[in-house]
Amino acid sequence: GAVVSQHPSWVICKSGTSVKIECRSLDFQATTMFWYRQFPKQSLMLMATSNEGSKATYEQGVEKDKFLINHASLTLSTLTVTSAHPEDSSFYICSARESSLETQYFGPGTRLLVL
Amino acid sequence: AQSVTQLDSHVSVSEGTPVLLRCNYSSSYSPSLFWYVQHPNKGLQLLLKYTSAATLVKGINGFEAEFKKSETSFHLTKPSAHMSDAAEYFCVVNTGFQKLVFGTGTRLLVSP
């Protein structure tokens, strides 16, 4: 099956610093990638949708200047949490979709802890 | 708007007994529905999906789900639970704009 990786799996940073999370589709070309956020014991909430080569579309309430998304190639999307604060601590999960298929394949997630 | 409701936040079963995780959907048209499983601190794995073909969908690890339009349901079942099935299960609907909307999740607990 299709494999999506994320790096890093864990990151701890100081408040005010920026953190970059990578999402890669390993064996298929992902024209669309999605970024989700999951708080403890809660469901996944879609943050943004990114299409290769174009600007990301953010969901209502998600600050695009704080969560910078880049989808520069068909296999890589990055999420940068700028000037991170403790309330940004969460589990961030990406997913990727091939152009012709409906199914999204999820990465293993990145746990961010901001001190 | 498309949405899903998972009726149970927790389900407890004994190993070897049947599993039933309930999901009801709301959609103005024939939806695409999915079940995903998430093990602790892991990403999500697709169990199965319904996309308007056969109403009984078979997935991985012995799971299956039946799409019932009259009941707007898409319940997940497995004849015999295994300890390794203990996880969080999400019922998910495709909004039609390639966005997925997740249910609140059901935690499956399996006791020996």
Side-chain angles (χ1 to χ4, degrees):
Chain A
V3 179
V4 176
S5 70
Q6 278 184 246
H7 178 81
S9 56
W10 260 100
V11 58
I12 301 174
C13 68
K14 292 182 179 179
S15 187
T17 60
S18 294
V19 174
K20 180 184 283 189
I21 303 169
E22 291 185 349
C23 177
R24 293 181 184 272
S25 57
L26 298 185
D27 50 5
F28 66 99
Q29 293 187 325
T31 52
T32 307
M33 287 186 167
F34 304 83
W35 287 95
Y36 296 84
R37 186 173 180 177
Q38 185 180 31
F39 289 104
K41 300 186 188 300
Q42 294 188 27
S43 190
L44 278 74
M45 299 297 295
L46 179 65
M47 298 175 67
T49 303
S50 75
N51 291 294
E52 186 263 338
S54 60
K55 290 184 178 180
T57 302
Y58 290 80
E59 295 300 299
Q60 194 171 16
V62 178
E63 299 175 60
K64 57 180 152 185
D65 293 332
K66 180 163 188 65
F67 298 100
L68 301 179
I69 292 172
N70 184 280
H71 191 167
S73 78
L74 285 172
T75 59
L76 173 65
S77 176
T78 60
L79 168 68
T80 301
V81 183
T82 62
S83 187
H85 290 283
E87 58 265 30
D88 298 324
S89 299
S90 190
F91 194 46
Y92 292 88
I93 303 175
C94 74
S95 71
R97 185 179 67 90
E98 283 187 88
S99 59
S100 59
L101 302 176
E102 183 178 24
T103 302
Q104 291 184 26
Y105 297 95
F106 286 79
T110 296
R111 190 161 298 282
L112 170 64
L113 178 61
V114 184
L115 302 176
Chain B
Q2 282 63 246
S3 66
V4 288
T5 301
Q6 291 184 245
L7 299 162
D8 307 294
S9 59
H10 292 82
V11 169
S12 295
V13 300
S14 298
E15 190 174 22
T17 63
V19 175
L20 169 65
L21 304 182
R22 298 184 294 166
C23 173
N24 285 97
Y25 69 90
S26 173
S27 177
S28 55
Y29 55 88
S30 185
S32 294
L33 293 159
F34 308 78
W35 276 99
Y36 283 88
V37 60
Q38 184 181 34
H39 288 91
N41 296 313
K42 302 282 187 181
L44 282 82
Q45 181 182 22
L46 179 67
L47 280 178
L48 50 83
K49 63 179 178 180
Y50 166 77
T51 54
S52 74
T55 56
L56 182 62
V57 183
K58 294 188 183 298
I60 61 172
N61 300 337
F63 285 95
E64 62 182 38
E66 186 171 8
F67 175 76
K68 291 187 176 180
K69 187 175 181 179
S70 61
E71 299 176 10
T72 61
S73 68
F74 189 58
H75 301 335
L76 181 70
T77 60
K78 183 173 180 177
S80 176
H82 192 273
M83 295 296 291
S84 60
D85 294 328
E88 188 87 18
Y89 291 79
F90 292 99
C91 182
V92 182
V93 64
N94 187 324
T95 65
F97 298 98
Q98 300 307 320
K99 294 181 184 179
L100 299 183
V101 174
F102 285 74
T104 50
T106 298
R107 182 166 296 278
L108 176 64
L109 305 169
V110 183
S111 56

